[in-house]
Amino acid sequence: MSERGLHSRPEVTPERAEFYEKIDPLAVAPLWERLFTFMSKEPKMRAAPYLWRYSAIRPSLMETADLITAEEAERRVLILENPSLKGETAAADSLFAGLQLIMPGEVAGTHRHSPSALRFIIEGDGAYTAINGEKAPMKVGDLILTPSMVWHDHGNVGSDPVVWLDGLDIPLIRALGTMFTDLYNGGELHPEGRPDYDNIARFGANMRPMNYQAEGSHSPVFHYPYDVSKKALINLKKSKEFDPCHGIKLQYINPNTGEPVMVTIDCYLQLLPGGFSTQDYQSTGTWIYSVVEGTGKTVIGDSIFEWGPKDHFVVPGWLLHHHEPDSDDAILFSFSDKGTQEKLGLYRERRGNVTH
Ligand code: 1HN
């Protein structure tokens, strides 16, 4: 077999080494010295799997309330920063995750940005996100979307600290060089918009206003309440039809198109029946999980992560993994770059020995 430089480095002879040094000032470099460093046979993510235990983080998150105001911070968020991507403001190669705290009486002012974001409510009652001035009152387990370039602010009108998971496509937007951000009117709060729950009334009942013309590519629903999503999972359990790799896994969709809720981030809620260990699954998608209910473990490559409610973990792309819930049912929220990859024709998955 002849030597090929796709997966291995060609020999560096003294003559070649001298040549490489000579051409360096010309701002050119030999591709054959690089190919094998990134043209992996299969995906190799920079991020390693990781789990953030809520009980370990929560005391520090609460301390931030006295350290900085929501106003000064713009958003009081502790980044779930993957140790393998230290300093990169990322939980995984393509996705950002963080935990945001808002205290009673606080407001996080109106802004917008080209990255798309989701909120998944972790703890506390009485806060809201307003999208173009329309409030979505938050309850634990609710999913709230703030798609690219939509005005949004948050507030807490209750008496408890409120914490949610922020999921964003920051690494992707940075890589594409498409970052734009604005403060509303240079720093004002967006005036009140439509009444609370208006988006759900218009688009969230498997109905829509007659003659509705879609605006933008994201879902016109920006609030997916947990009680509705959970009820679907509980009712589906009765069918006893469980996906071997996912248990019962429902995707949040844009009701206009059936597509993922946002262009660059897709979201899921999943029930793992008690004692139902899933089969090994591998996909090019990166998955970030937030545990809502139940306990169990997830085996990712060579690592085992034990989880309980409010813990977060990341499954980077192309790592073989499976879930093992304990004897009670578990409910997991997750978000992914699967939808982005599918739009680019790049998504692949493998169940057992079959690659799709
Ligand atoms: C952001 O604008 C929010 O609007 C949350 O609540 C998290 C993380 C990185 C960059 C911007 C928000 C964020 C963020």
Side-chain angles (χ1 to χ4, degrees):
M1 200 176 71
S2 66
E3 295 291 313
R4 297 276 302 267
L6 184 58
H7 298 135
S8 60
R9 186 181 193 178
E11 190 190 343
V12 187
T13 62
E15 190 185 18
R16 289 175 181 172
E18 195 184 323
F19 175 78
Y20 302 156
E21 246 176 74
K22 186 178 77 185
I23 64 171
D24 185 66
L26 306 175
V28 293
L31 178 62
W32 60 90
E33 277 287 284
R34 304 287 170 76
L35 276 180
F36 66 93
T37 68
F38 63 90
M39 295 291 279
S40 49
K41 277 193 192 224
E42 298 191 359
K44 279 194 190 135
M45 308 309 286
R46 294 175 57 237
Y50 197 77
L51 178 139
W52 292 266
R53 206 169 295 291
Y54 192 63
S55 59
I57 299 172
R58 189 181 184 282
S60 303
L61 184 60
M62 293 301 150
E63 260 187 64
T64 65
D66 297 323
L67 203 65
I68 190 162
T69 61
E71 187 180 2
E72 195 190 347
E74 183 67 14
R75 297 296 191 256
R76 193 198 285 114
V77 176
L78 288 184
I79 304 164
L80 300 181
E81 188 170 65
N82 195 313
S84 54
L85 301 174
K86 202 156 176 51
E88 297 189 31
T89 320
D93 294 63
S94 59
L95 295 169
F96 169 99
L99 292 177
Q100 182 161 169
L101 171 67
I102 187 157
M103 299 300 286
E106 280 190 320
V107 164
T110 313
H111 70 199
R112 66 177 184 180
H113 36 71
S114 49
S116 296
L118 65 87
R119 334 272 156 212
F120 186 75
I121 318 310
I122 302 297
E123 170 182 339
D125 221 349
Y128 63 84
T129 292
I131 283 94
N132 296 325
E134 176 187 330
K135 290 193 179 89
M138 294 176 168
K139 292 216 158 45
V140 171
D142 287 4
L143 172 66
I144 296 175
L145 311 174
T146 59
S148 182
M149 288 319 257
V150 168
W151 293 114
H152 57 282
D153 52 77
H154 317 292
N156 185 346
V157 291
S159 46
D160 302 324
V162 174
V163 177
W164 62 80
L165 167 70
D166 286 309
L168 289 93
D169 53 7
I170 299 267
L172 177 67
I173 299 302
R174 289 177 67 172
L176 294 172
T178 50
M179 184 68 72
F180 293 91
T181 71
D182 287 317
L183 294 178
Y184 185 75
N185 269 353
E188 288 175 25
L189 201 58
H190 195 291
E192 288 238 337
R194 291 181 164 144
D196 297 4
Y197 299 109
D198 187 273
N199 69 103
I200 295 178
R202 280 172 203 267
F203 304 105
N206 276 328
M207 303 169 94
R208 68 181 179 192
M210 186 171 160
N211 294 336
Y212 169 71
Q213 295 290 322
E215 291 162 30
S217 44
H218 56 77
S219 175
V221 178
F222 58 81
H223 185 186
Y224 294 78
Y226 185 59
D227 54 0
V228 177
S229 315
K230 177 177 174 178
K231 199 165 162 192
L233 291 175
I234 299 293
N235 283 334
L236 271 174
K237 205 187 141 187
K238 295 177 194 154
S239 74
K240 299 213 160 47
E241 289 168 28
F242 307 143
D243 180 294
C245 294
H246 307 300
I248 303 169
K249 190 163 187 169
L250 291 177
Q251 182 179 20
Y252 296 87
I253 56 157
N254 174 343
N256 258 328
T257 60
E259 291 288 308
V261 285
M262 297 187 286
V263 180
T264 51
I265 308 178
D266 43 343
C267 303
Y268 301 81
L269 194 71
Q270 149 181 36
L271 185 146
L272 298 169
F276 180 85
S277 284
T278 61
Q279 289 179 9
D280 271 328
Y281 180 67
Q282 185 176 19
S283 87
T284 49
T286 282
W287 299 86
I288 295 177
Y289 283 90
S290 179
V291 181
V292 193
E293 299 185 34
T295 58
K297 54 180 183 272
T298 295
V299 180
I300 312 170
D302 302 328
S303 317
I304 301 174
F305 297 97
E306 292 190 6
W307 41 255
K310 306 186 196 308
D311 290 343
H312 293 85
F313 60 94
V314 53
V315 184
W318 216 236
L319 290 179
L320 207 62
H321 61 280
H322 72 270
H323 307 294
E324 297 179 20
D326 292 337
S327 53
D328 290 334
D329 292 351
I331 298 185
L332 308 178
F333 169 80
S334 56
F335 68 100
S336 172
D337 56 6
K338 177 177 188 281
T340 310
Q341 296 185 0
E342 283 176 330
K343 288 176 192 81
L344 299 173
L346 295 169
Y347 187 76
R348 281 218 229 173
E349 62 177 28
R350 188 185 281 169
R351 294 160 170 262
N353 293 323
V354 186
T355 306
H356 301 279

